[in-house]
Amino acid sequence: MTKEEQEKEETPKTSPADKTDDNDDDAAKKKKKKRVVVTPPCPPSVATAYILLRGALLGLLGVNQDDVDVSLMQPTYIKEKKPSAKFSINLGKKLGCGTIELPEDDDGQSALLQLLEDAVNRLLVQQDEEDKVKDISCCTMAKEIAVAMYGKGILNQSLKKLKNEDSVMVACIDSLVQCIPPAIPFVKPAKGINKIHIERGNHTQSLVNCSKKGKKAEVVIKFVVEEKEDSSAAELAESQGKVIAPDAKLLTKDIRLPEGQKLLEAQEEKSKQAEAAKKEEATATAAAKSSLAGEADNNKEEEEMVVTTTEVKGKIDYNKLVDDFGSKLIDKELLDRLETQTVGKGRVSKLHRFLRRNIFFSHRDLAALLGEVEAGRPIYLYTGRGPSSSAMHLGHLVPFLFTQWLQQAFDCPLVIQMTDDEKFLFKGSYTEEKGDNLMHYASLTIENARDIIACGFDREKTFLFSDLDYVGRMYPNIVRIWKAVTTNTIKGIFGFDGSNNIGTVAFPAIQAAPSFSSSFPTVFGGREDMACLIPCAIDQDPYFRMTRDVAHKLVPKSHKLGGKPALIHSKFFPPLQGATGKMSSSDSSSAIFLTDTPEQIKEKIMSYAFSGGQETKKQQEELGANLDVDVSYQWLRFFLEDDEELQAIKESYGSGSGDYWSTGAVKKRLIDLLQELVAAHQERRSKITDEEVKKWMKEREISVSYII
């Protein structure tokens, strides 16, 4: 079979019924082609009102007509069977491009539309009775010539698509408008129109769209024309033979209508009232700041203090926290003993600034721990880090800076627990495609270890370990703690319920285990009676209250503290936005990270650091700053070593006089300090290789002093 025969064979045969259907389709198509829809022409009254409204709005607001974008006019007169239409004028962004800004509030927007209606109807009355308004004149020319003469503002969105050689008719009213109308208007608007009504009240009618942050400022105008009975006899503005001269006034931002002056005066009065209210509010705020110490703002004053192992918020009352937790404040007698056993031994020059400034302020059994030191018996330090992000922030640095000082001051060993298991249990995730992200937290341990090592610890006396790697060595003690602590106790302390996974409920024992030297049989050479001191923020205290309650079950009777770890608690490092709660990695704008550049540090301090300074220079000089809520000053308390300089800043800023009278001066000092601190840390960190980290994390026996 040839190709032609095959194609013929495969071609379906047409039945008589099919032919009949084809004939019917052809007839339907022919019938459809004959149907012609005739669009009614735009009434002259609508074209005239369009010209008046367009010119009146721009003249009222003081807008250069070349700065706007006008939509195609919607011919609502077809559907509504009355002379009406709708169009919009785009005035740019935010609050528009006029001398007078578009109002954001509903009342102001309603008033603007009413003034626009008043303006166009005044123009009608004045033309009819006083002949103050000029006639509408029209002339015809090529689009390219019209735009060159009158500016692009004469067009609407549809007309922009015309070819340059296409003919257009330009309508003009002196000092009011020059534009291309949708149809031929009346020569004298008042001869054909009684009144123009601007319809408003719902989203399909007139409205104003704008906001200070908006990407579009727009006025939508829906109008209806009340025609005169003999409007059909009114003369139409046929195109003149001569060209109409361009009106330069329309390409300025002058307010061209008296209604605009009225609107400007109203806005200026409103602005004055707002400024007066702002000053009154500033005065009230200044009074509140000076009388309520420790208050960042009214909302924070009302926010209830919450301190748990997983959440810290509100204005922190540290005295109440000590009472609630059952710890003790560090008094002068205890500080003197601490100074004798550290500074007095010649290992450090003075007490750490965190102790001098009451930042580490509370303790459990610190006196008993010092008794061990005074007796020459060995102690060790225990601290840790939950690696939740690759970059640590300044708040994370606080306990490590203090622990490094303690290690040097006591010349004692240190264990640092990296709780990568905890972060996975509390924050980990699982997907069908990728599985879980446990190893992500393991990798964060290595990154955070670099930052910790860069704090200046003594490697010969430090063991840094990951729970995922080392937990097996601690497992006997973990099992003992699980056996000793009931589920009800765990629920009561940590608030766990049936929704928690079993790992989170079991984890407190893992954080407790390093409190016992027997958890480190190799590291401490088999010593099981060493006293432990844990420096930590006070929100971590619940873990160790639980530990202390069962500690006697895990140590030999020779342990002088009955196995209980001693604790020394710090206050929270405040976030940039206010001196309440604590800094968080989850909010980058609340923290300075150890990876931040000098520019980022400056930007964050200048933009986000909450100020306790007053609203005006005069108020600042009279009242001074509220130092309790000023974040820049509070951060200087943490990181500025020089006590005399800090005192000078305190006196100057607090009184509103001297070199540091202003917030700007204090912020600048903080920026310089942090840029230097972070840069030095980054340089030390950059020298820490993977091999170096492995050395710190290798299980080995470390140096233990005071063994007798």
Side-chain angles (χ1 to χ4, degrees):
M1 183 181 291
T2 65
K3 183 177 181 182
E4 289 78 6
E5 290 174 330
Q6 184 178 2
E7 290 176 350
K8 185 176 180 180
E9 184 73 22
E10 291 176 353
T11 302
K13 297 180 180 180
T14 303
S15 69
D18 292 333
K19 290 181 179 180
T20 303
D21 290 341
D22 291 342
N23 292 336
D24 290 343
D25 289 343
D26 292 340
K29 288 178 181 177
K30 289 178 181 178
K31 186 176 182 180
K32 187 174 182 180
K33 287 181 181 178
K34 291 179 180 179
R35 184 180 177 185
V36 178
V37 178
V38 179
T39 302
C42 176
S45 61
V46 171
T48 304
Y50 168 85
I51 295 169
L52 290 170
L53 286 165
R54 183 166 165 170
L57 179 66
L58 303 188
L60 190 153
L61 295 174
V63 177
N64 180 334
Q65 75 171 21
D66 264 7
D67 292 340
V68 303
D69 192 9
V70 183
S71 73
L72 176 67
M73 190 188 77
Q74 298 178 27
T76 59
Y77 55 82
I78 298 174
K79 185 176 181 180
E80 295 178 356
K81 308 298 183 185
K82 60 182 179 182
S84 67
K86 183 178 181 180
F87 69 101
S88 65
I89 299 181
N90 188 324
L91 297 161
K93 298 179 179 180
K94 299 182 179 179
L95 301 182
C97 56
T99 298
I100 298 176
E101 293 182 336
L102 293 174
E104 290 185 277
D105 59 294
D106 292 341
D107 291 342
Q109 293 175 357
S110 179
L112 171 62
L113 293 172
Q114 184 59 56
L115 277 176
L116 178 59
E117 183 176 295
D118 293 344
V120 291
N121 287 305
R122 175 185 60 78
L123 292 172
L124 288 172
V125 170
Q126 287 187 345
Q127 187 190 53
D128 195 28
E129 297 180 356
E130 306 171 29
D131 200 29
K132 289 185 178 180
V133 179
K134 300 294 184 180
D135 295 345
I136 297 179
S137 303
C138 294
C139 61
T140 302
M141 62 190 71
K143 173 195 165 185
E144 183 178 24
I145 297 173
V147 171
M149 285 189 64
Y150 304 110
K152 62 179 181 173
I154 64 172
L155 305 173
N156 63 36
Q157 291 173 356
S158 176
L159 294 170
K160 290 178 181 180
K161 300 176 182 179
L162 293 178
K163 296 178 181 179
N164 286 334
E165 60 271 20
D166 287 344
S167 180
V168 295
M169 182 178 71
V170 180
C172 305
I173 301 178
D174 284 354
S175 302
L176 183 67
V177 65
Q178 290 178 333
C179 68
I180 299 174
I184 300 175
F186 297 129
V187 173
K188 295 181 179 297
K191 296 298 182 182
I193 300 174
N194 265 332
K195 194 170 185 179
I196 299 171
H197 300 277
I198 294 179
E199 294 187 330
R200 46 193 181 274
N202 63 56
H203 68 280
T204 64
Q205 299 181 341
S206 303
L207 54 89
V208 179
N209 288 321
C210 67
S211 72
K212 289 180 180 178
K213 296 182 179 180
K215 295 183 178 180
K216 189 175 185 180
E218 178 185 54
V219 179
V220 179
I221 302 172
K222 170 65 167 60
F223 66 92
V224 178
V225 180
E226 182 183 320
E227 295 179 331
K228 289 192 172 181
E229 292 184 3
D230 58 348
S231 62
S232 59
E235 181 185 359
L236 298 179
E238 300 288 353
S239 179
Q240 300 177 0
K242 62 178 182 179
V243 174
I244 302 168
D247 192 337
K249 293 179 183 177
L250 305 181
L251 299 180
T252 69
K253 297 182 72 171
D254 294 341
I255 297 172
R256 301 183 282 277
L257 294 180
E259 288 81 7
Q261 293 296 337
K262 186 187 296 185
L263 181 60
L264 181 62
E265 290 169 4
Q267 286 194 353
E268 288 176 346
E269 180 62 28
K270 188 175 181 180
S271 179
K272 288 179 182 178
Q273 292 175 357
E275 187 64 29
K278 185 178 180 180
K279 288 181 179 179
E280 184 177 344
E281 183 181 359
T283 302
T285 301
K289 282 184 176 181
S290 61
S291 63
L292 296 174
E295 176 188 0
D297 54 37
N298 289 334
N299 289 335
K300 288 182 180 176
E301 180 195 21
E302 295 170 359
E303 187 176 22
E304 180 183 1
M305 177 179 74
V306 175
V307 177
T308 70
T309 56
T310 58
E311 182 181 23
V312 176
K313 68 178 183 178
K315 180 177 178 292
I316 309 301
D317 183 338
Y318 288 102
N319 288 327
K320 184 177 185 304
L321 208 53
V322 166
D323 290 340
D324 291 346
F325 282 8
S327 61
K328 295 180 180 179
L329 294 173
I330 298 175
D331 57 22
K332 186 178 185 306
E333 180 182 353
L334 195 57
L335 275 180
D336 288 343
R337 285 182 66 188
L338 184 59
E339 186 173 23
T340 299
Q341 295 303 317
T342 55
V343 179
K345 300 295 183 181
R347 290 185 288 268
V348 289
S349 60
K350 56 184 174 181
L351 289 177
H352 197 280
R353 61 182 179 272
F354 292 166
L355 291 169
R356 304 196 305 267
R357 296 168 190 170
N358 201 35
I359 291 171
F360 273 82
F361 72 107
S362 165
H363 75 99
R364 291 185 187 276
D365 277 341
L366 182 58
L369 186 285
L370 287 174
E372 291 293 280
V373 175
E374 290 162 350
R377 286 187 285 270
I379 68 166
Y380 73 99
L381 302 171
Y382 159 38
T383 191
R385 160 77 180 141
S388 58
S389 63
S390 59
M392 290 168 57
H393 58 58
L394 291 179
H396 297 139
L397 206 57
V398 169
F400 290 110
L401 291 176
F402 185 59
T403 302
Q404 187 277 329
W405 181 87
L406 287 173
Q407 184 183 51
Q408 181 180 352
F410 285 125
D411 190 26
C412 66
L414 161 69
V415 295
I416 303 174
Q417 180 184 40
M418 305 298 288
T419 57
D420 32 25
D421 53 343
E422 174 210 15
K423 290 306 174 184
F424 174 71
L425 291 171
F426 282 86
K427 296 185 176 182
S429 61
Y430 173 86
T431 64
E432 291 291 341
E433 296 79 14
K434 297 182 179 180
D436 64 45
N437 62 345
L438 175 60
M439 299 317 296
H440 165 69
Y441 292 101
S443 67
L444 294 182
T445 284
I446 304 303
E447 290 304 310
N448 286 188
R450 299 180 199 278
D451 284 307
I452 294 168
I453 294 168
C455 290
F457 295 105
D458 183 349
R459 184 164 64 85
E460 297 303 316
K461 292 183 171 66
T462 304
F463 174 48
L464 194 157
F465 65 95
S466 156
D467 279 349
L468 291 175
D469 292 336
Y470 188 76
V471 73
R473 299 289 274 160
M474 299 190 295
Y475 193 67
N477 279 343
I478 293 170
V479 172
R480 292 183 179 108
I481 297 167
W482 283 339
K483 175 65 174 176
V485 181
T486 67
T487 305
N488 285 338
T489 298
I490 291 293
K491 288 181 178 179
I493 294 174
F494 300 101
F496 294 143
D497 57 30
S499 65
N500 290 95
N501 64 64
I502 59 175
T504 59
V505 179
F507 176 76
I510 299 174
Q511 183 157 325
S515 306
F516 306 100
S517 59
S518 56
S519 293
F520 305 95
T522 299
V523 174
F524 293 137
R527 293 293 300 257
E528 297 186 354
D529 58 353
M530 293 174 64
C532 176
L533 174 60
I534 304 172
C536 62
I538 196 168
D539 61 331
Q540 296 301 298
D541 184 76
Y543 281 107
F544 303 109
R545 292 205 305 272
M546 176 205 74
T547 307
R548 287 165 57 87
D549 287 344
V550 301
H552 62 283
K553 298 182 179 182
L554 284 87
V555 296
K557 294 188 182 299
S558 60
H559 197 295
K560 299 301 181 182
L561 274 67
K564 293 182 178 181
L567 288 94
I568 183 166
H569 302 128
S570 75
K571 295 177 179 177
F572 300 118
F573 187 63
L576 281 167
Q577 287 85 347
T580 61
K582 70 174 183 178
M583 184 176 285
S584 171
S585 295
S586 60
D587 183 358
S588 61
S589 66
S590 78
I592 300 295
F593 289 88
L594 299 179
T595 53
D596 281 348
T597 64
E599 293 74 20
Q600 288 174 319
I601 293 171
K602 180 179 180 180
E603 172 64 23
K604 288 181 180 182
I605 297 297
M606 296 304 296
S607 299
Y608 301 118
F610 184 85
S611 170
Q614 308 301 333
E615 296 292 332
T616 66
K617 181 179 179 182
K618 182 179 179 182
Q619 291 171 346
Q620 176 67 10
E621 290 173 341
E622 291 175 353
L623 303 172
N626 183 347
L627 302 180
D628 291 323
V629 302
D630 190 274
V631 168
S632 297
Y633 174 75
Q634 290 299 322
W635 282 24
L636 285 170
R637 289 188 70 244
F638 276 82
F639 294 114
L640 183 60
E641 177 62 30
D642 191 325
D643 291 335
E644 291 184 4
E645 184 181 2
L646 183 67
Q647 182 63 26
I649 293 172
K650 178 181 179 180
E651 293 175 358
S652 177
Y653 194 31
S655 65
S657 61
D659 293 339
Y660 292 99
W661 72 272
S662 69
T663 298
V666 178
K667 284 188 173 183
K668 184 179 184 305
R669 182 65 186 96
L670 177 63
I671 290 167
D672 292 342
L673 177 66
L674 294 185
Q675 286 176 336
E676 181 180 352
L677 183 152
V678 172
H681 180 89
Q682 290 172 352
E683 183 178 0
R684 292 192 299 271
R685 188 186 191 279
S686 66
K687 298 175 182 178
I688 299 169
T689 64
D690 289 346
E691 288 301 315
E692 180 71 9
V693 173
K694 289 178 182 179
K695 291 178 182 179
W696 287 73
M697 299 186 73
K698 180 181 179 181
E699 185 183 6
R700 66 203 186 281
E701 186 171 357
I702 61 177
S703 176
V704 177
S705 304
Y706 306 135
I707 297 178
I708 59 174

